PDB file of all heavy atoms in Angstrom:
ATOM      1  N   PRO A1501     157.686  94.284  69.349  1.00 74.00           N
ATOM      2  CA  PRO A1501     156.840  95.418  69.711  1.00 74.00           C
ATOM      3  C   PRO A1501     156.490  95.462  71.129  1.00 74.00           C
ATOM      4  O   PRO A1501     156.048  94.525  71.672  1.00 74.00           O
ATOM      5  CB  PRO A1501     155.599  95.311  68.788  1.00 74.00           C
ATOM      6  CG  PRO A1501     156.094  94.422  67.630  1.00 74.00           C
ATOM      7  CD  PRO A1501     157.086  93.497  68.221  1.00 74.00           C
ATOM      8  N   ARG A1502     156.575  96.677  71.655  1.00 74.00           N
ATOM      9  CA  ARG A1502     156.321  97.007  73.125  1.00 74.00           C
ATOM     10  C   ARG A1502     156.998  96.117  74.065  1.00 74.00           C
ATOM     11  O   ARG A1502     156.536  95.865  75.236  1.00 74.00           O
ATOM     12  CB  ARG A1502     154.737  96.971  73.263  1.00 74.00           C
ATOM     13  CG  ARG A1502     154.025  97.922  72.535  1.00 74.00           C
ATOM     14  CD  ARG A1502     152.566  97.883  72.650  1.00 74.00           C
ATOM     15  NE  ARG A1502     152.009  96.529  72.169  1.00 74.00           N
ATOM     16  CZ  ARG A1502     151.744  96.300  70.902  1.00 74.00           C
ATOM     17  NH1 ARG A1502     152.008  97.271  69.977  1.00 74.00           N
ATOM     18  NH2 ARG A1502     151.403  95.100  70.513  1.00 74.00           N
ATOM     19  N   GLN A1503     158.143  95.567  73.769  1.00 73.00           N
ATOM     20  CA  GLN A1503     158.897  94.727  74.659  1.00 73.00           C
ATOM     21  C   GLN A1503     160.366  95.184  74.514  1.00 73.00           C
ATOM     22  O   GLN A1503     160.796  95.785  73.572  1.00 73.00           O
ATOM     23  CB  GLN A1503     158.808  93.273  74.261  1.00 73.00           C
ATOM     24  CG  GLN A1503     157.524  92.675  74.307  1.00 73.00           C
ATOM     25  CD  GLN A1503     157.450  91.201  73.936  1.00 73.00           C
ATOM     26  OE1 GLN A1503     158.422  90.462  74.346  1.00 73.00           O
ATOM     27  NE2 GLN A1503     156.490  90.617  73.222  1.00 73.00           N
ATOM     28  N   PRO A1504     161.083  94.969  75.742  1.00 76.00           N
ATOM     29  CA  PRO A1504     162.514  95.293  75.639  1.00 76.00           C
ATOM     30  C   PRO A1504     163.241  94.283  74.653  1.00 76.00           C
ATOM     31  O   PRO A1504     162.712  93.470  74.140  1.00 76.00           O
ATOM     32  CB  PRO A1504     162.900  94.943  77.101  1.00 76.00           C
ATOM     33  CG  PRO A1504     162.045  94.117  77.650  1.00 76.00           C
ATOM     34  CD  PRO A1504     160.670  94.420  76.942  1.00 76.00           C
ATOM     35  N   VAL A1505     164.562  94.688  74.280  1.00 81.00           N
ATOM     36  CA  VAL A1505     165.326  93.849  73.415  1.00 81.00           C
ATOM     37  C   VAL A1505     165.399  92.419  73.988  1.00 81.00           C
ATOM     38  O   VAL A1505     165.790  92.177  75.105  1.00 81.00           O
ATOM     39  CB  VAL A1505     166.639  94.508  73.353  1.00 81.00           C
ATOM     40  CG1 VAL A1505     167.672  93.541  72.565  1.00 81.00           C
ATOM     41  CG2 VAL A1505     166.722  95.893  72.655  1.00 81.00           C
ATOM     42  N   ALA A1506     164.857  91.445  73.243  1.00 81.00           N
ATOM     43  CA  ALA A1506     164.960  90.133  73.582  1.00 81.00           C
ATOM     44  C   ALA A1506     166.204  89.369  73.186  1.00 81.00           C
ATOM     45  O   ALA A1506     166.527  88.443  73.856  1.00 81.00           O
ATOM     46  CB  ALA A1506     163.779  89.386  72.917  1.00 81.00           C
ATOM     47  N   GLY A1507     166.927  89.924  72.196  1.00 89.00           N
ATOM     48  CA  GLY A1507     168.198  89.231  71.906  1.00 89.00           C
ATOM     49  C   GLY A1507     168.805  89.966  70.668  1.00 89.00           C
ATOM     50  O   GLY A1507     168.451  91.164  70.427  1.00 89.00           O
ATOM     51  N   VAL A1508     169.740  89.387  70.098  1.00 94.00           N
ATOM     52  CA  VAL A1508     170.505  89.860  68.941  1.00 94.00           C
ATOM     53  C   VAL A1508     170.485  88.981  67.802  1.00 94.00           C
ATOM     54  O   VAL A1508     170.793  87.687  67.989  1.00 94.00           O
ATOM     55  CB  VAL A1508     171.903  90.281  69.448  1.00 94.00           C
ATOM     56  CG1 VAL A1508     172.729  90.979  68.305  1.00 94.00           C
ATOM     57  CG2 VAL A1508     171.832  91.318  70.619  1.00 94.00           C
ATOM     58  N   LEU A1509     170.287  89.371  66.620  1.00 95.00           N
ATOM     59  CA  LEU A1509     170.599  88.619  65.451  1.00 95.00           C
ATOM     60  C   LEU A1509     171.942  88.981  64.898  1.00 95.00           C
ATOM     61  O   LEU A1509     172.249  90.092  64.489  1.00 95.00           O
ATOM     62  CB  LEU A1509     169.591  88.912  64.379  1.00 95.00           C
ATOM     63  CG  LEU A1509     169.533  88.174  63.098  1.00 95.00           C
ATOM     64  CD1 LEU A1509     169.198  86.698  63.333  1.00 95.00           C
ATOM     65  CD2 LEU A1509     168.500  88.712  62.150  1.00 95.00           C
ATOM     66  N   ASN A1510     172.915  88.079  64.949  1.00 96.00           N
ATOM     67  CA  ASN A1510     174.171  88.126  64.504  1.00 96.00           C
ATOM     68  C   ASN A1510     174.465  87.589  63.188  1.00 96.00           C
ATOM     69  O   ASN A1510     174.155  86.499  62.912  1.00 96.00           O
ATOM     70  CB  ASN A1510     175.216  87.455  65.611  1.00 96.00           C
ATOM     71  CG  ASN A1510     175.063  87.952  67.076  1.00 96.00           C
ATOM     72  OD1 ASN A1510     175.114  89.015  67.301  1.00 96.00           O
ATOM     73  ND2 ASN A1510     174.717  86.890  67.795  1.00 96.00           N
ATOM     74  N   MET A1511     175.209  88.396  62.285  1.00 96.00           N
ATOM     75  CA  MET A1511     175.435  87.968  60.914  1.00 96.00           C
ATOM     76  C   MET A1511     176.932  88.191  60.745  1.00 96.00           C
ATOM     77  O   MET A1511     177.416  89.272  61.068  1.00 96.00           O
ATOM     78  CB  MET A1511     174.667  88.663  59.914  1.00 96.00           C
ATOM     79  CG  MET A1511     173.150  88.259  59.954  1.00 96.00           C
ATOM     80  SD  MET A1511     172.101  89.403  58.961  1.00 96.00           S
ATOM     81  CE  MET A1511     171.639  90.476  60.352  1.00 96.00           C
ATOM     82  N   TYR A1512     177.516  87.189  60.175  1.00 97.00           N
ATOM     83  CA  TYR A1512     179.038  87.231  59.981  1.00 97.00           C
ATOM     84  C   TYR A1512     179.420  86.822  58.582  1.00 97.00           C
ATOM     85  O   TYR A1512     178.713  85.915  57.968  1.00 97.00           O
ATOM     86  CB  TYR A1512     179.844  86.320  60.882  1.00 97.00           C
ATOM     87  CG  TYR A1512     179.484  86.374  62.421  1.00 97.00           C
ATOM     88  CD1 TYR A1512     178.545  85.612  63.062  1.00 97.00           C
ATOM     89  CD2 TYR A1512     180.130  87.407  63.093  1.00 97.00           C
ATOM     90  CE1 TYR A1512     178.234  85.757  64.456  1.00 97.00           C
ATOM     91  CE2 TYR A1512     179.843  87.697  64.507  1.00 97.00           C
ATOM     92  CZ  TYR A1512     178.760  86.825  65.029  1.00 97.00           C
ATOM     93  OH  TYR A1512     178.721  86.907  66.493  1.00 97.00           O
ATOM     94  N   SER A1513     180.428  87.512  58.102  1.00 96.00           N
ATOM     95  CA  SER A1513     180.989  87.264  56.719  1.00 96.00           C
ATOM     96  C   SER A1513     182.320  86.974  56.814  1.00 96.00           C
ATOM     97  O   SER A1513     183.059  87.598  57.593  1.00 96.00           O
ATOM     98  CB  SER A1513     180.579  88.287  55.787  1.00 96.00           C
ATOM     99  OG  SER A1513     181.290  88.079  54.469  1.00 96.00           O
ATOM    100  N   SER A1514     182.759  86.044  55.896  1.00 95.00           N
ATOM    101  CA  SER A1514     184.283  85.730  55.946  1.00 95.00           C
ATOM    102  C   SER A1514     185.028  86.737  54.881  1.00 95.00           C
ATOM    103  O   SER A1514     186.222  86.694  54.670  1.00 95.00           O
ATOM    104  CB  SER A1514     184.460  84.351  55.399  1.00 95.00           C
ATOM    105  OG  SER A1514     183.907  84.132  54.134  1.00 95.00           O
ATOM    106  N   GLU A1515     184.216  87.676  54.299  1.00 96.00           N
ATOM    107  CA  GLU A1515     184.830  88.741  53.453  1.00 96.00           C
ATOM    108  C   GLU A1515     184.751  90.132  54.182  1.00 96.00           C
ATOM    109  O   GLU A1515     183.729  90.453  54.805  1.00 96.00           O
ATOM    110  CB  GLU A1515     184.142  88.686  52.079  1.00 96.00           C
ATOM    111  CG  GLU A1515     184.032  87.329  51.325  1.00 96.00           C
ATOM    112  CD  GLU A1515     185.438  87.088  50.887  1.00 96.00           C
ATOM    113  OE1 GLU A1515     186.272  87.969  50.656  1.00 96.00           O
ATOM    114  OE2 GLU A1515     185.802  85.799  50.839  1.00 96.00           O
ATOM    115  N   PRO A1516     185.666  90.937  53.864  1.00 96.00           N
ATOM    116  CA  PRO A1516     185.573  92.284  54.334  1.00 96.00           C
ATOM    117  C   PRO A1516     184.491  93.030  53.595  1.00 96.00           C
ATOM    118  O   PRO A1516     184.203  92.640  52.459  1.00 96.00           O
ATOM    119  CB  PRO A1516     186.940  92.903  54.101  1.00 96.00           C
ATOM    120  CG  PRO A1516     187.559  92.107  52.979  1.00 96.00           C
ATOM    121  CD  PRO A1516     186.946  90.601  53.249  1.00 96.00           C
ATOM    122  N   HIS A1517     183.892  93.972  54.150  1.00 96.00           N
ATOM    123  CA  HIS A1517     182.744  94.726  53.468  1.00 96.00           C
ATOM    124  C   HIS A1517     181.718  93.894  52.965  1.00 96.00           C
ATOM    125  O   HIS A1517     181.075  94.141  51.979  1.00 96.00           O
ATOM    126  CB  HIS A1517     183.427  95.489  52.283  1.00 96.00           C
ATOM    127  CG  HIS A1517     184.773  96.086  52.342  1.00 96.00           C
ATOM    128  ND1 HIS A1517     185.014  97.045  53.328  1.00 96.00           N
ATOM    129  CD2 HIS A1517     185.945  95.771  51.768  1.00 96.00           C
ATOM    130  CE1 HIS A1517     186.375  97.333  53.324  1.00 96.00           C
ATOM    131  NE2 HIS A1517     186.896  96.648  52.348  1.00 96.00           N
ATOM    132  N   GLY A1518     181.368  92.906  53.822  1.00 95.00           N
ATOM    133  CA  GLY A1518     180.276  91.973  53.426  1.00 95.00           C
ATOM    134  C   GLY A1518     178.893  92.470  53.579  1.00 95.00           C
ATOM    135  O   GLY A1518     177.903  91.865  53.160  1.00 95.00           O
ATOM    136  N   PHE A1519     178.793  93.565  54.339  1.00 96.00           N
ATOM    137  CA  PHE A1519     177.570  94.156  54.660  1.00 96.00           C
ATOM    138  C   PHE A1519     177.484  95.656  54.122  1.00 96.00           C
ATOM    139  O   PHE A1519     177.583  96.486  54.991  1.00 96.00           O
ATOM    140  CB  PHE A1519     177.075  93.966  56.131  1.00 96.00           C
ATOM    141  CG  PHE A1519     177.202  92.676  56.624  1.00 96.00           C
ATOM    142  CD1 PHE A1519     178.224  92.067  57.208  1.00 96.00           C
ATOM    143  CD2 PHE A1519     176.038  91.808  56.457  1.00 96.00           C
ATOM    144  CE1 PHE A1519     178.307  90.787  57.649  1.00 96.00           C
ATOM    145  CE2 PHE A1519     176.058  90.484  56.848  1.00 96.00           C
ATOM    146  CZ  PHE A1519     177.167  89.988  57.572  1.00 96.00           C
ATOM    147  N   ASP A1520     177.427  95.788  52.891  1.00 95.00           N
ATOM    148  CA  ASP A1520     177.235  97.167  52.309  1.00 95.00           C
ATOM    149  C   ASP A1520     175.795  97.735  52.647  1.00 95.00           C
ATOM    150  O   ASP A1520     174.961  97.013  53.200  1.00 95.00           O
ATOM    151  CB  ASP A1520     177.554  97.131  50.779  1.00 95.00           C
ATOM    152  CG  ASP A1520     176.605  96.241  49.917  1.00 95.00           C
ATOM    153  OD1 ASP A1520     175.573  95.856  50.478  1.00 95.00           O
ATOM    154  OD2 ASP A1520     177.017  96.022  48.857  1.00 95.00           O
ATOM    155  N   LEU A1521     175.613  99.022  52.196  1.00 95.00           N
ATOM    156  CA  LEU A1521     174.314  99.559  52.676  1.00 95.00           C
ATOM    157  C   LEU A1521     173.099  98.751  52.100  1.00 95.00           C
ATOM    158  O   LEU A1521     172.128  98.615  52.964  1.00 95.00           O
ATOM    159  CB  LEU A1521     174.296 100.951  52.106  1.00 95.00           C
ATOM    160  CG  LEU A1521     173.025 101.851  52.391  1.00 95.00           C
ATOM    161  CD1 LEU A1521     172.952 101.946  53.918  1.00 95.00           C
ATOM    162  CD2 LEU A1521     173.158 103.193  51.906  1.00 95.00           C
ATOM    163  N   PRO A1522     173.007  98.325  50.885  1.00 92.00           N
ATOM    164  CA  PRO A1522     171.738  97.520  50.427  1.00 92.00           C
ATOM    165  C   PRO A1522     171.549  96.334  51.220  1.00 92.00           C
ATOM    166  O   PRO A1522     170.482  96.088  51.596  1.00 92.00           O
ATOM    167  CB  PRO A1522     172.061  97.288  49.010  1.00 92.00           C
ATOM    168  CG  PRO A1522     173.130  98.389  48.526  1.00 92.00           C
ATOM    169  CD  PRO A1522     173.976  98.679  49.745  1.00 92.00           C
ATOM    170  N   VAL A1523     172.670  95.654  51.655  1.00 93.00           N
ATOM    171  CA  VAL A1523     172.529  94.475  52.368  1.00 93.00           C
ATOM    172  C   VAL A1523     172.124  94.731  53.808  1.00 93.00           C
ATOM    173  O   VAL A1523     171.229  94.136  54.426  1.00 93.00           O
ATOM    174  CB  VAL A1523     173.916  93.637  52.348  1.00 93.00           C
ATOM    175  CG1 VAL A1523     173.792  92.379  53.378  1.00 93.00           C
ATOM    176  CG2 VAL A1523     174.284  93.170  51.009  1.00 93.00           C
ATOM    177  N   ARG A1524     172.676  95.850  54.393  1.00 94.00           N
ATOM    178  CA  ARG A1524     172.304  96.205  55.658  1.00 94.00           C
ATOM    179  C   ARG A1524     170.768  96.609  55.778  1.00 94.00           C
ATOM    180  O   ARG A1524     170.090  96.210  56.695  1.00 94.00           O
ATOM    181  CB  ARG A1524     173.174  97.362  56.249  1.00 94.00           C
ATOM    182  CG  ARG A1524     174.561  96.990  56.461  1.00 94.00           C
ATOM    183  CD  ARG A1524     175.331  97.911  57.348  1.00 94.00           C
ATOM    184  NE  ARG A1524     175.222  99.322  56.950  1.00 94.00           N
ATOM    185  CZ  ARG A1524     176.128  99.816  56.148  1.00 94.00           C
ATOM    186  NH1 ARG A1524     177.135  99.203  55.586  1.00 94.00           N
ATOM    187  NH2 ARG A1524     176.050 101.151  55.961  1.00 94.00           N
TER     188      ARG A1524
END
Side-chain angles (χ1 to χ4, degrees):
R1502 297 180 297 280
Q1503 296 183 39
V1505 173
V1508 179
L1509 184 63
N1510 305 301
M1511 286 162 277
Y1512 304 101
S1513 174
S1514 58
E1515 300 294 331
H1517 321 297
F1519 300 95
D1520 59 18
L1521 182 58
V1523 173
R1524 293 201 303 274

